[in-house]
Amino acid sequence: IKKRNQSDKVDIKLEFRLGINMGDVIKKDNNLIGDGVNIAARLEALAQPNGISISKSVYDFVVPKTKMTFNDLGIQKVKQNEFRAFDILLDPSQKRTLKTKASPKFKLSRIFLGIIIVGIIGIPSFIFLNKSNKITTKDSIQNEKNIIADMPSILVMPFENQTGKEENNFVGSGFTSSLINILSQSQKLQIHSSSTGKYIKENNVNARDISKLYNIEYILNGSVQGHSKNYRVFIELTNINNNEILWSEIFKFKNIEDIFDIMDNLGISVLRALNLKFSIDSDHLISRNPEVYRKYIMAQAAFQRNNLEDNYKSELLYNEAIKLEPSNSRLKYFLGWVHWQRINLGISTNPQEDFSSAYKYSYEAMNKNTDWASPQAQVSILDSIMGNHSIACGRLPTMRPLARTVEDISLVAVVEVICDNVEEGIILFEKSLRLGPHYSSWVKKYYAIAKTLSGDYDGARAFMERQLDRKHSWEGVEKTFYLMLAYISMKEDDLEKAKKYFALQKKQDGIGETAKQFLNDNSASKNQTFYIDVVKTLKPLGLPDQ
């Protein structure tokens, strides 16, 4: 191209920018979508005219095989994508310096200078920077601290993959999730969400702050080590209040596929170490097939991002897993949520069909897993949408004692609010937030609605204002917060604040909520009085019908 442009015979000079990335893509309607494509597009926009920018995945692949010169641009963040970029220097004049986003490790080294650390999935660490650039310390968030537990509180940290093989990364997630599920079956333990462990690990929170902020007494650390035919799991239980190692053990196995055979033994050993007598129901795993479990972990991660592209990616992964295990009703339960999410996001091409699929998969999971609260809650939510409140609410006495994990507790809380048991729902939401403060942001969304519905405007406002200084992975959460704050302001006759909050909710996507969307999102509730009142109250601010 450069040679062509230098020719006198060329009237129109052409300039190109190239962006090259490697990653997963999804084929949909003769188009390719997904982060793999998005980052390639971001790299193209980042490239110089007549230049080529590549991602780290491409750089690592080609740098040993080429004599080209590369310029490291560091970590770049464009819109919602964060990636490390490199320029290929076709000409020395192309060398440049771009502003680099500080790495997590570098951010942590600057904590004591008051630099913000933003939580990966919604909640910040123990130092924040709010929107008015005012430093907020631990002391100002004590009202969010856990209530001291009357039973041992344990955190399972993410297991580390030390096998040297990236394809075994799912093993750590498998052990972590499995242990949480096993230990949650004990009525004598408080088990924290895996998202809490992930947050603490990624932000290097020290033991003292873990104990103080979360009221956690015990931490379970583990790693998977070794290589083919010689694997081992190292596990250690520590009392963080006195830094005493209570118990440690090494479990050996020959093949990576054998890890599922030792998971139950791990859980029983931990319970014994805590002097708890308990019998384990071994049928708690999503799957004992490593490939199925890997696809499940990836599908869950995509689903939690709550957007169009990741919804289809999640469906694809779940269907691939179900193809490997057609009778796995637990996988179908999660696939049911994917179909329901599609309706909520407004991307369904056939809402009736998606609703039927969601109900069918949930119902099958409920019937085949009678000791699992989540499918019962999901079916009850869908029954409520169809107006079958007596059937849906009639399941609550069965659901309540089965709600042990953060997901179970959160979903049963939703059903309680749907059934007009608002105070009971708030109690469960608050328990969920204590055990899983870094769990999915949808819990915070529905807790804020429940607090507003209860009439506790001061509590609802304080919670939402704190949350708005934080990053949320679940799309649409901030919009709900602003809507509820506008509603509260109108109820308190503060028109100026109401206008401000209403404008901010509209700014989130440039369109804003409509009365139809809000009522549809909350159509499951047995008592519609509050939701109709929200629409009526926000009408003067410009809430459109549809």
Side-chain angles (χ1 to χ4, degrees), residues 57-119:
S57 60
V58 177
Y59 172 83
D60 289 341
F61 187 73
V62 302
V63 72
K65 301 177 174 67
T66 177
K67 293 181 180 180
M68 285 184 166
T69 304
F70 300 90
N71 181 33
D72 188 351
L73 301 174
I75 303 295
Q76 301 298 320
K77 185 171 184 180
V78 184
K79 295 187 177 181
Q80 299 301 314
N81 296 115
E82 189 172 306
F83 51 88
R84 188 170 178 183
F86 297 79
D87 278 343
I88 298 177
L89 298 184
L90 304 176
D91 186 292
S93 66
Q94 290 183 319
K95 187 165 185 178
R96 57 179 174 156
T97 301
L98 294 181
K99 184 178 178 182
T100 300
K101 182 179 175 65
S103 70
K105 187 176 290 186
F106 181 61
K107 286 182 180 178
L108 286 166
S109 71
R110 292 158 57 184
I111 284 179
F112 299 104
L113 299 177
I115 302 298
I116 183 174
I117 299 177
V118 178

Side-chain angles (χ1 to χ4, degrees), residues 408-470:
D408 289 342
I409 294 164
S410 303
L411 286 171
V412 174
V414 171
V415 179
E416 293 279 17
V417 175
I418 283 173
C419 294
D420 214 19
N421 304 324
V422 181
E423 293 304 324
E424 290 85 347
I426 287 173
I427 290 169
L428 286 177
F429 275 131
E430 290 175 349
K431 182 178 181 181
S432 169
L433 290 168
R434 288 196 302 271
L435 295 178
H438 307 295
Y439 184 59
S440 179
S441 296
W442 70 259
V443 177
K444 300 169 183 70
K445 170 184 173 179
Y446 288 108
Y447 174 65
I449 292 174
K451 288 288 281 185
T452 308
L453 169 58
S454 74
D456 181 9
Y457 292 163
D458 290 339
R461 178 169 45 239
F463 174 77
M464 288 186 283
E465 286 177 347
R466 288 195 301 272
Q467 292 298 320
L468 282 167
D469 284 331
R470 306 169 188 185

Side-chain angles (χ1 to χ4, degrees), residues 115-177:
I115 302 298
I116 183 174
I117 299 177
V118 178
I120 300 300
I121 50 177
I123 303 289
S125 71
F126 37 89
I127 295 182
F128 310 99
L129 185 68
N130 66 21
K131 286 184 173 142
S132 60
N133 295 324
K134 174 182 173 185
I135 296 296
T136 307
T137 66
K138 291 182 285 186
D139 295 334
S140 65
I141 58 166
Q142 288 304 302
N143 54 345
E144 287 190 87
K145 184 180 171 183
N146 287 353
I147 297 170
I148 294 175
D150 57 357
M151 60 181 71
S153 177
I154 187 167
L155 172 68
V156 181
M157 291 294 289
F159 272 57
E160 295 183 10
N161 170 25
Q162 297 178 359
T163 66
K165 294 182 178 181
E166 286 190 12
E167 61 264 31
N168 292 337
N169 283 343
F170 78 96
V171 173
S173 299
F175 271 114
T176 307
S177 178

Side-chain angles (χ1 to χ4, degrees), residues 154 231 285 290 314 319 511 522:
I154 187 167
Y231 289 103
L285 291 171
S314 182
N319 279 325
I511 301 170
N522 297 284

